[in-house]
Amino acid sequence: EPEVTQTPSHQVTQMGQEVILRCVPISNHLYFYWYRQILGQKVEFLVSFYNNEISEKSEIFDDQFSVERPDGSNFTLKIRSTKLEDSAMYFCASNVAGGPSEQFFGPGTRLTVL
Amino acid sequence: RKEVEQDPGPFNVPEGATVAFNCTYSNSASQSFFWYRQDCRKEPKLLMSVYSSGNEDGRFTAQLNRASQYISLLIRDSKLSDSATYLCVVNGGGSYIPTFGRGTSLIVHP
């Protein structure tokens, strides 16, 4: 069964450093998403991406964040100048039809900022 | 502000019990509703979509009440493996951004 994959599973970084989180969505999916979940809190939408451009983003997704689809398979989230409060689980998701249809989540990357 | 509210629980029930969760949403224009399941430190996985007419999948029944702006999930004959956090997700109302509730924790014990 096809699945969304994410690497690394755990990333530890120093405050102020840049990190890149990687995702490989399901191959025939066209819509891609990033979410974050701070420990003990709810899942929060960051950004959606379709046709090589951002389609929607939340208030959380400020200039510190960027997304890219560098090739036909990878979908990346870059966080510049990380802060302690960026520590969270970051989930990538994808779906075929966009918006209200089922989203398939990857296993997540746990980011720890020291 | 668009909010989705859930009772965080935990709901602690014995095997075989029937348990129900509710979720309220604030955006009356919301159009799509889902229940996801999230195991500890794992990703959310779709449990079921919620349709206006209500829907059932085995031991799970989901209902939507648009007038009162809530959705519900009923689990019958609880199994130990049902222990997880159940997330209410609401979409629509002018945006495709899904809004997640904080989840309701269910613990099923022998």
Side-chain angles (χ1 to χ4, degrees):
Chain A
E1 184 177 331
E3 57 186 18
V4 177
T5 60
Q6 290 185 243
T7 54
S9 57
H10 191 188
Q11 174 90 48
V12 181
T13 190
Q14 296 290 327
M15 192 168 55
Q17 295 297 304
E18 175 182 286
V19 296
I20 297 176
L21 311 183
R22 291 182 167 78
C23 167
V24 179
I26 294 173
S27 61
N28 65 330
H29 286 186
L30 303 176
Y31 296 80
F32 315 122
Y33 310 84
W34 282 103
Y35 295 87
R36 79 171 184 192
Q37 187 175 32
I38 296 169
L39 187 63
Q41 299 190 24
K42 64 180 180 179
V43 175
E44 299 174 292
F45 170 83
L46 292 177
V47 65
S48 59
F49 192 86
Y50 170 70
N51 200 25
N52 284 321
E53 61 183 27
I54 291 173
S55 45
E56 292 195 85
K57 61 183 180 180
S58 70
E59 294 172 349
I60 303 168
F61 194 88
D62 59 20
D63 292 343
Q64 185 194 6
F65 296 88
S66 61
V67 289
E68 194 178 32
R69 187 153 164 84
D71 54 44
S73 60
N74 288 283
F75 178 50
T76 62
L77 174 69
K78 183 188 291 186
I79 309 175
R80 287 180 283 275
S81 189
T82 49
K83 304 188 286 282
L84 296 176
E85 53 265 38
D86 293 328
S87 295
M89 183 72 93
Y90 288 82
F91 293 108
C92 173
S94 68
N95 58 7
V96 175
S101 62
E102 177 186 0
Q103 296 189 16
F104 294 81
F105 284 77
T109 293
R110 179 165 299 282
L111 176 65
T112 302
V113 182
L114 302 176
Chain B
R1 186 171 180 175
K2 302 169 187 174
E3 296 287 350
V4 175
E5 301 290 339
Q6 296 183 250
D7 181 345
F11 285 64
N12 203 322
V13 303
E15 271 185 293
T18 295
V19 62
F21 309 136
N22 279 341
C23 164
T24 60
Y25 60 94
S26 61
N27 186 351
S28 60
S30 298
Q31 298 167 337
S32 304
F33 310 90
F34 306 89
W35 284 103
Y36 277 75
R37 171 192 168 129
Q38 186 175 29
D39 293 293
C40 187
R41 295 181 181 266
K42 300 286 188 180
E43 73 273 26
K45 292 185 179 180
L46 182 69
L47 179 66
M48 57 198 307
S49 303
V50 187
Y51 304 121
S52 296
S53 55
N55 47 303
E56 186 174 310
D57 182 2
R59 299 182 292 110
F60 300 86
T61 301
Q63 297 277 354
L64 167 64
N65 185 318
R66 284 190 185 274
S68 301
Q69 294 182 205
Y70 76 83
I71 67 173
S72 64
L73 177 68
L74 182 77
I75 305 175
R76 289 180 298 276
D77 188 22
S78 298
K79 311 290 185 193
L80 296 177
S81 56
D82 292 335
S83 298
T85 298
Y86 291 83
L87 310 178
C88 173
V89 183
V90 176
N91 249 8
S95 165
Y96 283 137
I97 295 177
T99 304
F100 283 72
R102 290 192 63 171
T104 297
S105 175
L106 172 65
I107 300 170
V108 182
H109 59 83

